[in-house]
């Protein structure tokens, strides 16, 4: 396990960390790391928990991150990540906690996200559009606020979960 949360680390993701391929937990949240998430992130095949939120990462989620099939906790929140969410997200079949909030993701939610057995899902404060899947009704903690989702919304999802939506 590597826990470097809430320090003042800056610069790009330390590529030397990929030498620690047996890591089960990588916690780098609350720093000032910047640049893109490296393609080499996929080397962490044993990773169960990854939190790299509250940094300054930019760009898209590298496809190699979707090779981390043992992940059950993933937070990329509060960065400057962008683009669409790749349908390969379904490869993260063990994930039950997914936080992509406070980024610049856009487009529709891939239907493959419905295949995950999520307990916690935060997509708030992005630019997602389209409809909200009714499959989200079974998620215990859900925050979809401050996006561009179109109505009608599934009746099983509360106004609190939907929050404000810019549908202009």
């Amino acid at each position: 396990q590597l826990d470097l949360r809430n320090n003042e680390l800056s610069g790009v993701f330390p590529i030397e960390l990929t030498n620690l391929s047996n890591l089960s937990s990588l916690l780098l949240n609350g720093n000032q790391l910047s640049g893109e998430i490296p393609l080499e992130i996929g080397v962490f095949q044993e990773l169960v928990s990854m939190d790299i939120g509250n940094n300054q990462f930019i760009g898209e989620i590298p496809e190699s991150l979707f090779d981390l099939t043992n992940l059950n906790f993933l937070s990329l929140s509060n960065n400057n990540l962008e683009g669409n969410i790749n349908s390969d997200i379904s490869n993260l079949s063990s994930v039950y906690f997914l936080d992509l909030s406070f980024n610049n993701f856009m487009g529709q939610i891939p239907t493959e996200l419905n295949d995950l057995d999520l307990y916690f899902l935060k997509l708030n404060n992005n630019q997602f559009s389209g409809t909200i899947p009714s499959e989200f009704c079974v998620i215990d903690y859900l925050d979809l606020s401050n996006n561009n989702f179109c109505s009608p919304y599934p009746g099983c999802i509360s106004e609190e979960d939907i929050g404000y939506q810019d549908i202009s």
Side-chain angles (χ1 to χ4, degrees):
Q1 296 184 15
L2 182 61
D3 185 349
L4 297 173
R5 293 179 285 179
N6 301 314
N7 286 288
E8 295 180 11
L9 300 176
S10 61
V12 297
F13 186 99
I15 201 68
E16 294 82 9
L17 292 181
T18 59
N19 293 331
L20 306 173
S21 58
N22 290 329
L23 277 181
S24 63
S25 180
L26 177 62
L27 306 174
L28 298 175
N29 59 305
N31 284 293
Q32 298 162 12
L33 297 172
S34 58
E36 295 188 358
I37 299 170
L39 296 174
E40 293 84 358
I41 199 85
V43 74
F44 296 119
Q45 291 297 307
E46 302 302 317
L47 211 56
V48 173
S49 178
M50 180 166 72
D51 188 347
I52 59 173
N54 296 304
N55 279 289
Q56 300 165 12
F57 290 115
I58 61 170
E60 297 186 7
I61 298 173
E63 287 191 32
S64 60
L65 188 139
F66 300 124
D67 294 336
L68 303 179
T69 57
N70 289 318
L71 274 180
N72 57 41
F73 182 103
L74 176 61
S75 178
L76 305 176
S77 65
N78 293 294
N79 280 292
N80 295 305
L81 298 171
E82 61 187 17
N84 295 331
I85 301 300
N86 190 314
S87 63
D88 289 340
I89 197 165
S90 65
N91 294 346
L92 303 178
S93 58
S94 298
V95 166
Y96 64 83
F97 182 105
L98 181 62
D99 189 351
L100 303 178
S101 62
F102 291 93
N103 279 291
N104 297 306
F105 293 120
M106 64 178 72
Q108 296 190 3
I109 296 172
T111 57
E112 291 82 3
L113 192 60
N114 301 331
D115 297 336
L116 301 179
D117 190 19
L118 295 170
Y119 168 80
F120 182 101
L121 177 63
K122 286 184 72 171
L123 300 178
N124 56 298
N125 295 81
N126 280 288
Q127 299 170 33
F128 288 111
S129 58
T131 58
I132 297 172
S134 60
E135 289 85 355
F136 283 7
C137 292
V138 299
I139 298 174
D140 291 328
Y141 184 88
L142 181 65
D143 190 345
L144 303 173
S145 61
N146 296 314
N147 279 288
N148 305 318
F149 291 117
C150 300
S151 58
Y153 306 118
C156 59
I157 295 178
S158 73
E159 274 188 46
E160 185 177 298
D161 296 333
I162 296 169
Y164 173 77
Q165 300 295 319
D166 182 359
I167 56 172
S168 60

